[in-house]
PDB file of all heavy atoms in Angstrom:
ATOM      1  N   THR A1009       3.911-151.408-191.231  1.00 97.00           N
ATOM      2  CA  THR A1009       5.065-150.474-191.155  1.00 97.00           C
ATOM      3  C   THR A1009       4.594-149.105-191.231  1.00 97.00           C
ATOM      4  O   THR A1009       3.421-148.866-191.710  1.00 97.00           O
ATOM      5  CB  THR A1009       6.088-150.795-192.236  1.00 97.00           C
ATOM      6  OG1 THR A1009       5.492-150.386-193.480  1.00 97.00           O
ATOM      7  CG2 THR A1009       6.465-152.283-192.302  1.00 97.00           C
ATOM      8  N   PRO A1010       5.438-148.159-190.969  1.00 97.00           N
ATOM      9  CA  PRO A1010       4.988-146.701-191.079  1.00 97.00           C
ATOM     10  C   PRO A1010       4.509-146.363-192.481  1.00 97.00           C
ATOM     11  O   PRO A1010       3.599-145.579-192.657  1.00 97.00           O
ATOM     12  CB  PRO A1010       6.261-145.947-190.753  1.00 97.00           C
ATOM     13  CG  PRO A1010       7.006-146.789-189.865  1.00 97.00           C
ATOM     14  CD  PRO A1010       6.738-148.218-190.316  1.00 97.00           C
ATOM     15  N   ALA A1011       5.039-147.088-193.497  1.00 97.00           N
ATOM     16  CA  ALA A1011       4.564-146.795-194.892  1.00 97.00           C
ATOM     17  C   ALA A1011       3.112-147.106-195.084  1.00 97.00           C
ATOM     18  O   ALA A1011       2.453-146.522-196.023  1.00 97.00           O
ATOM     19  CB  ALA A1011       5.444-147.592-195.851  1.00 97.00           C
ATOM     20  N   ASP A1012       2.504-147.992-194.254  1.00 97.00           N
ATOM     21  CA  ASP A1012       1.126-148.387-194.406  1.00 97.00           C
ATOM     22  C   ASP A1012       0.226-147.291-193.841  1.00 97.00           C
ATOM     23  O   ASP A1012      -1.021-147.337-194.071  1.00 97.00           O
ATOM     24  CB  ASP A1012       0.868-149.686-193.610  1.00 97.00           C
ATOM     25  CG  ASP A1012       1.623-150.832-194.256  1.00 97.00           C
ATOM     26  OD1 ASP A1012       1.704-150.904-195.482  1.00 97.00           O
ATOM     27  OD2 ASP A1012       2.181-151.630-193.468  1.00 97.00           O
ATOM     28  N   ILE A1013       0.753-146.356-193.128  1.00 97.00           N
ATOM     29  CA  ILE A1013      -0.096-145.390-192.469  1.00 97.00           C
ATOM     30  C   ILE A1013       0.030-143.985-193.164  1.00 97.00           C
ATOM     31  O   ILE A1013       1.046-143.295-192.946  1.00 97.00           O
ATOM     32  CB  ILE A1013       0.216-145.209-190.977  1.00 97.00           C
ATOM     33  CG1 ILE A1013       0.253-146.592-190.314  1.00 97.00           C
ATOM     34  CG2 ILE A1013      -0.827-144.333-190.258  1.00 97.00           C
ATOM     35  CD1 ILE A1013      -1.018-147.406-190.275  1.00 97.00           C
ATOM     36  N   GLN A1014      -0.893-143.756-194.093  1.00 97.00           N
ATOM     37  CA  GLN A1014      -0.772-142.486-194.822  1.00 97.00           C
ATOM     38  C   GLN A1014      -1.730-141.443-194.230  1.00 97.00           C
ATOM     39  O   GLN A1014      -1.660-140.273-194.766  1.00 97.00           O
ATOM     40  CB  GLN A1014      -1.199-142.782-196.332  1.00 97.00           C
ATOM     41  CG  GLN A1014      -0.203-143.748-197.027  1.00 97.00           C
ATOM     42  CD  GLN A1014       1.234-143.140-197.084  1.00 97.00           C
ATOM     43  OE1 GLN A1014       1.368-141.943-197.377  1.00 97.00           O
ATOM     44  NE2 GLN A1014       2.186-143.904-196.707  1.00 97.00           N
ATOM     45  N   GLY A1015      -2.518-141.840-193.337  1.00 97.00           N
ATOM     46  CA  GLY A1015      -3.450-140.829-192.758  1.00 97.00           C
ATOM     47  C   GLY A1015      -4.483-141.487-191.840  1.00 97.00           C
ATOM     48  O   GLY A1015      -4.349-142.708-191.560  1.00 97.00           O
ATOM     49  N   VAL A1016      -5.409-140.716-191.395  1.00 97.00           N
ATOM     50  CA  VAL A1016      -6.440-141.257-190.414  1.00 97.00           C
ATOM     51  C   VAL A1016      -7.166-142.471-190.922  1.00 97.00           C
ATOM     52  O   VAL A1016      -7.514-143.345-190.088  1.00 97.00           O
ATOM     53  CB  VAL A1016      -7.410-140.074-189.965  1.00 97.00           C
ATOM     54  CG1 VAL A1016      -8.426-140.591-189.000  1.00 97.00           C
ATOM     55  CG2 VAL A1016      -6.622-138.813-189.476  1.00 97.00           C
ATOM     56  N   ASP A1017      -7.330-142.504-192.256  1.00 97.00           N
ATOM     57  CA  ASP A1017      -8.101-143.668-192.746  1.00 97.00           C
ATOM     58  C   ASP A1017      -7.381-144.955-192.533  1.00 97.00           C
ATOM     59  O   ASP A1017      -7.997-146.060-192.562  1.00 97.00           O
ATOM     60  CB  ASP A1017      -8.369-143.450-194.253  1.00 97.00           C
ATOM     61  CG  ASP A1017      -9.388-142.369-194.503  1.00 97.00           C
ATOM     62  OD1 ASP A1017     -10.195-142.035-193.573  1.00 97.00           O
ATOM     63  OD2 ASP A1017      -9.439-141.794-195.659  1.00 97.00           O
ATOM     64  N   ASP A1018      -6.075-144.852-192.317  1.00 97.00           N
ATOM     65  CA  ASP A1018      -5.293-146.087-192.063  1.00 97.00           C
ATOM     66  C   ASP A1018      -5.108-146.431-190.598  1.00 97.00           C
ATOM     67  O   ASP A1018      -4.483-147.445-190.260  1.00 97.00           O
ATOM     68  CB  ASP A1018      -3.898-145.957-192.731  1.00 97.00           C
ATOM     69  CG  ASP A1018      -3.992-145.750-194.204  1.00 97.00           C
ATOM     70  OD1 ASP A1018      -4.816-146.400-194.878  1.00 97.00           O
ATOM     71  OD2 ASP A1018      -3.188-144.946-194.725  1.00 97.00           O
ATOM     72  N   LEU A1019      -5.600-145.569-189.774  1.00 98.00           N
ATOM     73  CA  LEU A1019      -5.443-145.754-188.317  1.00 98.00           C
ATOM     74  C   LEU A1019      -5.846-147.196-187.829  1.00 98.00           C
ATOM     75  O   LEU A1019      -5.140-147.709-187.008  1.00 98.00           O
ATOM     76  CB  LEU A1019      -6.263-144.699-187.544  1.00 98.00           C
ATOM     77  CG  LEU A1019      -6.044-144.574-186.044  1.00 98.00           C
ATOM     78  CD1 LEU A1019      -4.659-144.288-185.679  1.00 98.00           C
ATOM     79  CD2 LEU A1019      -7.009-143.483-185.516  1.00 98.00           C
ATOM     80  N   HIS A1020      -6.851-147.671-188.368  1.00 97.00           N
ATOM     81  CA  HIS A1020      -7.411-148.933-187.912  1.00 97.00           C
ATOM     82  C   HIS A1020      -6.407-150.129-188.075  1.00 97.00           C
ATOM     83  O   HIS A1020      -6.586-151.229-187.504  1.00 97.00           O
ATOM     84  CB  HIS A1020      -8.676-149.242-188.603  1.00 97.00           C
ATOM     85  CG  HIS A1020      -8.556-149.507-190.093  1.00 97.00           C
ATOM     86  ND1 HIS A1020      -8.447-150.744-190.661  1.00 97.00           N
ATOM     87  CD2 HIS A1020      -8.451-148.668-191.118  1.00 97.00           C
ATOM     88  CE1 HIS A1020      -8.337-150.649-191.945  1.00 97.00           C
ATOM     89  NE2 HIS A1020      -8.333-149.418-192.282  1.00 97.00           N
TER      90      HIS A1020
END
Side-chain angles (χ1 to χ4, degrees):
Chain A
T1009 67
D1012 296 317
I1013 311 298
Q1014 295 300 315
V1016 180
D1017 289 339
D1018 298 322
L1019 186 59
H1020 66 98

